[in-house]
DNA sequence: GATGAATGAGGGTTCATTCAT
DNA sequence: CATGAATGAACCCTCATTCAT
C-alpha cells in the first residue's frame, strides 16, 4: 500500500535524477513526471510548486546527513574511528545520493543568495554548526582518551569540515577518476596522522 | 578610447553583479544591459549568447586564479610563506570577486554536469591539476629546504586544496560571521603546524 | 430520504454560493463539492459538466422568476397592486437569491454571446417576452378597470421592464447603500404616478 | 508614427473584439495578439497582465461615457433635448462600442464582486453617482425653464438611469430585433411625456 | 452510489534572441 | 555600432473530468 510519503519520495527521487542531469532551473516538471512515471498534474497533488520540491530535496539531504553523522558520532567506536567514518560517509555520500552533489551545490548557492538577501534563515548553516559541535565533541573525547594529542580544537574541527566539503566539491569534478580517490585516502591519512598522539 | 576588450569586460562585470544577485538562470540579459548602462542588443554584439557570457566569466575566474597562483608560486618567498599566501589569496578571493563565489558554484555544477554528459572537457579539472602540481612543487621545495618534514606529498597537497575549497564553500554560507573567520585562521595554522619540520 | 432532485438542489445551491463569490469561470468544481459537503466526483453523477450546472442555475432562476411573476399576475389584487408587487419581487430577488445577481449577469452575457453565435436559443429572451406579455395584460386590465389612464402600453411595459432590470443591475453596485434604496422607492412611486388615472 | 498610446489602443481594440466573442476568461491572450496582428509577447510590452487589459477596457468605457455625457449635458440644447440625447447616446453605445456591452456586463460583475470583498473601490459606482448628479441638474434646469413639471427629482433621476441600464441590458439579448427598437422608442417617449409640463 | 487520486490539455507569462532603424 | 521593440518557444501551474476502488 502506497502512502502519501511513499509517493512524495517517488517524486523526489525522480526530481533528483532530473535536476542532477539538467540543473535546478532547466529541469522541467514534465520530465520529473515522466521519470516518476506519473502525470504532470499529479506532482502538484504532492508539492505546491517547484520551489517546494527544491525544499524537500534540501531537507532530505540535510536530514539524511544529520541523522547519519549522529549515528556515527554516537556509536561505540573509538574517536579516531568515528572521525574516519564521518569522513568516509561524506565521501561516499556522493555515491549514496547518486548525482545529488550537483543539486546540493545549486541549492546551496540559491539558499545562500536568499539568505544574503534576508529571505530566510539558512538550514545549511544550522547543519554546519551542528556538525562542527559534533566534531569538537569527538576531538574532546579523543584527547581525554589519550588517543589524540592536545590541539587547537577549533582549528582542527574547521580544518576537518573544510576538508570534507572540499573533497565532495572536487569529487564532483573528478568523478570516476581512480587516481583522485587514492589522493583522497592519502589526504585523510595525513590528516589523521596530524592529530594522533 | 574603449577597445572591444574593455566593452566585454564592462559587460562581464555587469553580468557577474547580476548573476550573483539572481543566479545564473534567473539573471536576465535585460538586467545585465541595464547594469552595464547599455542596450540589450549591444550585448549580442560582443557575446553570441548567454552561454558565452557564462564561459567568459568562467575563463576570467580561472585565468585570474591561475595567474595569481602562478605569481605567488614563482615569487622569492619561502615555501611556507608561499603556501600561506596561496591559502590567503583563495580566502580573499571571495572578497576580491565580490559575490562571485555563488556564480562559481553554479558554473561548477553546470560544467560538471556537461562534462559528465560528455559535452566538453572541464576547465575546472584542468585548473585543479595545475594547482595540484604547483602545490606539490612547493612542498618538494620546502622539504628540500628542510622547512617541511618528510610527508606524503600527494595526501598533503590534496588536503590543502580541499581545505581551500571547503573554506570558500563555507564562507559562502557564513558570510560576514566574524567568528567563522577566526576559525579559519585557526584551521590554517593547524595545517601549517602539521607539516612544519 | 434524499431524492435525486434534492441532491441536485444541494449542488446547485453550493454552486450559486461559489460562483457568486468567485465568478462563473473562476469558481471551481472542487470548491462546489467542498461547500456541498460531498466529493468532487459525486457532482458528475448529477451533472454531466460545469456547463450543465450553469444551465441548471439559469433554469432555476428563470423558473423561479416566471412562476413568481405568474403567481403575482394571477392573484386577486388590483392591477396597480400587481405591478407594484412585481417590481418589489424583482427588487427583493437580489436579496432572495443572495448574491445570485452577479451570476445572472454573467450567465446573461455568456448566453447572449452564444446566442449571437447561433449556438442556442435564448431562454432569457423567452422569459422577457413572457414578462412583457404579462405586463401588457395587467396594464390592459388596469385601463379597463379605469385604474390606469389610457397610454401607449408597449412603451410603458418596456419602460417598466427596463426599470426593473436597471434597478437590479445598479443594486449590484450600490449593495448596502441605504440611500440608494430610498431612491428606488421614489423611482417606483414616480412611475406609478405616471400611469395612474 | 505610432505612439505607445496608439499601440495600446490597437491592443485594446483587439481585446474588446476577442472578449466580446469569447468572454473575459475564455478570451485568450494569443487570440488578442492574432487579431491585433502582433506577437503574443508584444502584448506584455504594453500591459503587465490580462487583468491590466481588463482595467484599460473599463477605463476606456467609463472615460468615454463620462466625457460623452458631459458634452451632452453642457450643450446649448433644451433640458428635454438633453435628456433625450443622453438616453439615445446610451442606446447607441451598444452600437458605438461594438460588442462591448457583453464585456461591460462581465467587468461590472467582476468589479462588484471585488468591491464586495473589499478589494477596491468601484469606478462604476463613481460613474453612476456622477451621472445621477448630472441628470438631477438637467431636471432642475428644466423645471426652472418651465419645461418640466414639478416632480420628485430623485425618483425621476433614478428612474431614468435605471431605464437606460435596463435598455442596454435588454438590448444585449434582443440584439438585432427591430421590434425591440420600436418598443424602446415608445418607452422613452412615455417617460418624457410623464415629466413634461 | 460515492469518492478523490490521477490526469493532461490549455493558457498566462517570461525572456533570450533578432533585426529594422 | 548601438538600440530596444517585437517575437514566440518554452514552461509552470490550474482545474475540469475520469475512473478504479
Amino acid at each position: 500500500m502506497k502512502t502519501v510519503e511513499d509517493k512524495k519520495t517517488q517524486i523526489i527521487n525522480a526530481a533528483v535524477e532530473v535536476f542532477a542531469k539538467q540543473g535546478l532551473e532547466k529541469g522541467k516538471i514534465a520530465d520529473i513526471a515522466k521519470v516518476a512515471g506519473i502525470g504532470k498534474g499529479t506532482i502538484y497533488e504532492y508539492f505546491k510548486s517547484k520551489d517546494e520540491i527544491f525544499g524537500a530535496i534540501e531537507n532530505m539531504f540535510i536530514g539524511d546527513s544529520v541523522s547519519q553523522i549522529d549515528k556515527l558520532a554516537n556509536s561505540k567506536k573509538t574517536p579516531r574511528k568515528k572521525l574516519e567514518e564521518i569522513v568516509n560517509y561524506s565521501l561516499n555520500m556522493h555515491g549514496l545520493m547518486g548525482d545529488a552533489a550537483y543539486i546540493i551545490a545549486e541549492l546551496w548557492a540559491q539558499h545562500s543568495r536568499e539568505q544574503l538577501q534576508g529571505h530566510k534563515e539558512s538550514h545549511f548553516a544550522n547543519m554546519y554548526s551542528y556538525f562542527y559541535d559534533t566534531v569538537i565533541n569527538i576531538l574532546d573525547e579523543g584527547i581525554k582518551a589519550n588517543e589524540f594529542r592536545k590541539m587547537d580544537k577549533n582549528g582542527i574541527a574547521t580544518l576537518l569540515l573544510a576538508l570534507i566539503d572540499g573533497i565532495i566539491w572536487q569529487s564532483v569534478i573528478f568523478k570516476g577518476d581512480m587516481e583522485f580517490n587514492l589522493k583522497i585516502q592519502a589526504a585523510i591519512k595525513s590528516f589523521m596522522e596530524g592529530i594522533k598522539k
Side-chain angles (χ1 to χ4, degrees), chain A:
Chain A
M1 197 196 62
K2 282 243 183 178
T3 66
V4 167
E5 235 27 67
D6 285 339
K7 200 83 179 217
K8 279 190 160 193
T9 302
Q10 177 192 359
I11 293 171
I12 293 287
N13 288 340
V16 166
E17 188 179 328
V18 168
F19 290 148
K21 219 170 281 173
Q22 314 188 24
L24 246 35
E25 297 298 331
K26 294 251 182 88
K28 284 159 265 169
I29 294 287
D31 291 335
I32 297 175
K34 213 173 293 167
V35 168
I38 58 177
K40 201 161 27 112
T42 308
I43 290 179
Y44 287 89
E45 297 281 326
Y46 295 89
F47 296 96
K48 266 201 278 295
S49 67
K50 205 182 174 188
D51 267 348
E52 207 174 276
I53 299 180
F54 291 166
I57 293 177
E58 190 180 300
N59 287 339
M60 185 186 71
F61 166 75
I62 290 179
D64 283 2
S65 299
V66 166
S67 71
Q68 200 54 238
I69 298 293
D70 244 17
K71 212 175 79 186
L72 295 175
N74 294 321
S75 69
K76 296 281 181 213
K77 315 229 162 96
T78 65
R80 183 194 166 106
K81 201 82 189 139
K82 281 182 183 175
L83 283 192
E84 278 175 358
E85 292 200 334
I86 284 178
V87 176
N88 277 316
Y89 161 71
S90 304
L91 265 174
N92 292 332
M93 193 195 59
H94 190 227
L96 290 173
M97 297 203 54
D99 293 318
Y102 299 145
I103 298 178
I104 300 307
E106 288 181 287
L107 285 174
W108 195 314
Q110 193 186 84
H111 218 125
S112 302
R113 230 178 346 250
E114 287 169 347
Q115 183 197 0
L116 193 68
Q117 287 162 25
H119 291 319
K120 36 178 145 172
E121 63 157 340
S122 173
H123 300 136
F124 285 113
N126 294 341
M127 180 183 75
Y128 260 83
S129 299
Y130 183 72
F131 285 175
Y132 185 81
D133 293 342
T134 302
V135 169
I136 290 280
N137 286 339
I138 297 176
L139 291 177
D140 246 344
E141 211 184 312
I143 293 169
K144 273 177 196 134
N146 228 11
E147 201 181 1
F148 297 154
R149 63 172 172 78
K150 283 220 167 72
M151 65 180 88
D152 174 356
K153 283 175 295 181
N154 285 327
I156 294 295
T158 302
L159 181 55
L160 181 64
L161 290 188
L163 170 64
I164 290 173
D165 276 338
I167 288 174
I168 293 173
W169 208 214
Q170 287 178 34
S171 68
V172 167
I173 282 192
F174 290 108
K175 200 174 184 187
D177 180 340
M178 286 318 293
E179 209 184 338
F180 177 63
N181 288 333
L182 293 175
K183 286 179 184 168
I184 290 172
Q185 292 308 329
I188 295 168
K189 201 169 159 224
S190 295
F191 173 83
M192 297 309 296
E193 290 297 313
I195 61 172
K196 77 155 187 252
K197 186 96 190 185

